[in-house]
Amino acid sequence: MTKSIRRTLLASAFGAAVLNANAVPIYQSNEVTLYMEGYFTAHMVNTMGNTSMQNGASRIRFGLNVPAYDNWDTGFNLEWGVAAINSAQNIVIQGDQQAAPGDRNDSLFLRQGHAFAKHPKWGEFSAGKQWGVYYEVTYITDWYNVSGGLASGTYGLGTDGGVTGTGRADSAFAWRKAWEFEAGEFKIGIQTARHVAQLEIDVELTPDTRLVCPPRDCEYGLSHGIAAVYRADIGDGFFIGAAFNRVKLDISSSDGLLYDISGDEPVLITDQYAFNASSNDWTSALGMYYGEQAFAKGFYGAVVFQRSQNNELAPPGSVVGITNFFDAKGSESFMSYTWGRDNCYSVYGGHNYLVSDDPGFEAGLVRGDRYKLAQYYLGFQYRWNERVRLYWENAIDSSNEVAQPVADDFMAVGFRIDI
């Protein structure tokens, strides 16, 4: 594969209308192409002293490409996550697996749903639920079969990143454009969304009082995102990128409901409690990798660093205050080495590390002096053929007591079958 062809494939890997090598055409004509792609994956996981079969990040996607006037290509993409394995285990240990809070009990939930229009000169426009431009940088370490994606800021607030716009952004409008040069490719992405979700505030102000924000007074407001990446033809390939995302947190009301909870039943003290904790939820990321791509022949190594404000959420009950958002800094890495006939053997590993960087939040912790999530991974993958892979993945967890409710050691074996 020449460098120019490889660069083109990498540049389009997260575009709105990519025909994956494993995509299956359902219908083709001179006017439209309808295709399907996705995969099924599941694994046996031993964690927290229990062994169970758990859902992987199984999904199914349908896409429609419609050639339009003057080199414009239009269409849509619809993708659903599939929870096909019943399990008594409730822990969610994979960033890319996470659904929005209201979808976690659904067997079928929406991952993406957007329309697009793209042109060689004017770039690509997309509208709807889609990968945010922030992910143009952070995807480079999000290749683990079981875990990962916990420290880059992509899946903030314990969700799929839809509300914040950093992961699978909700109700977003985005523009992406790439320029190819002799020595590489430069790409930018710009994104905006507004009023994507209500924010339900129901917290203990003190051990004896509880504050409830009335409906429609607290919300995630206007958001913006931008990313810029450069892929250089150096050796097997070098990538560097930066991204920034900001969403307005409107947490204010003059009609707050304040309850006395010192007795057996809550008693309303006032329905005109005024408060203002409005702020910004922002996240920034810097990422670099060397190699062709994850699990490609030879070495691939990637690292992402991030800093964020109000983009992480502490476990329930771990802090006293109006909210349990906190400022954080973190890093992720992913490395793989692939060899053998048809590049079927891969060893891989890396880490996710996220710590609070917020004195106000840390002062309000019920126990402990900071939030620290730290996991270190080692895995092996065997690609049986183009569509079937088997894997073993192990995590050593050194998180502190504040983060323990969402992290632990685990050992998993599983499989994945691509459509």
Side-chain angles (χ1 to χ4, degrees), residues 279-408:
S279 185
N280 292 323
D281 174 339
W282 61 259
T283 314
S284 60
L286 174 68
M288 295 173 284
Y289 77 67
Y290 178 81
E292 184 176 339
Q293 59 182 327
F295 300 118
K297 182 179 180 180
F299 174 77
Y300 171 88
V303 62
V304 168
F305 302 95
Q306 70 94 359
R307 292 190 68 93
S308 61
Q309 173 183 287
N310 295 326
N311 192 60
E312 301 295 339
L313 204 59
S318 61
V319 66
V320 175
I322 292 181
T323 67
N324 54 345
F325 299 105
F326 64 89
D327 304 346
K329 56 185 178 181
S331 63
E332 296 183 2
S333 65
F334 178 89
M335 293 172 285
S336 68
Y337 184 78
T338 301
W339 76 98
R341 195 176 104 183
D342 299 325
N343 302 319
C344 59
Y345 303 106
S346 298
V347 291
Y348 63 92
H351 83 287
N352 280 190
Y353 181 78
L354 180 73
V355 294
S356 58
D357 187 26
D358 190 330
F361 162 80
E362 290 161 353
L365 286 170
V366 176
R367 60 184 183 276
D369 58 0
R370 70 188 310 198
Y371 177 98
K372 186 186 82 168
L373 183 150
Q375 289 195 328
Y376 305 91
Y377 309 107
L378 178 64
F380 175 79
Q381 176 177 284
Y382 172 67
R383 186 178 293 275
W384 199 347
N385 57 38
E386 184 181 0
R387 298 180 183 274
V388 180
R389 68 179 72 174
L390 308 174
Y391 53 83
W392 166 85
E393 189 169 303
N394 184 59
I396 299 173
D397 185 86
S398 62
S399 303
N400 68 359
E401 59 182 343
V402 184
Q404 278 297 332
V406 297
D408 199 5

Side-chain angles (χ1 to χ4, degrees), residues 133-142 152 154 226-232 237-244 284-290 300-307 330-334:
V133 298
Y134 187 83
Y135 198 61
E136 296 279 347
V137 173
T138 60
Y139 85 90
I140 65 175
T141 55
D142 194 19
S152 66
T154 302
I226 186 169
V229 302
Y230 180 68
R231 293 179 175 87
F238 176 76
F239 168 105
I240 185 169
F244 178 81
S284 60
L286 174 68
M288 295 173 284
Y289 77 67
Y290 178 81
Y300 171 88
V303 62
V304 168
F305 302 95
Q306 70 94 359
R307 292 190 68 93
S331 63
E332 296 183 2
S333 65
F334 178 89

Side-chain angles (χ1 to χ4, degrees), residues 148-177:
L150 303 175
S152 66
T154 302
Y155 307 109
L157 311 179
T159 72
D160 66 347
V163 172
T164 59
T166 51
R168 295 188 295 276
D170 290 336
S171 307
F173 180 82
W175 173 72
R176 292 171 169 90
K177 171 66 176 173

Side-chain angles (χ1 to χ4, degrees), residues 56-84:
S58 302
R59 66 201 62 180
I60 185 169
R61 181 161 76 100
F62 293 92
L64 182 73
N65 284 41
V66 183
Y69 174 75
D70 190 26
N71 291 323
W72 282 97
D73 185 21
T74 62
F76 65 79
N77 283 283
L78 295 173
E79 182 180 83
W80 292 271
V82 182

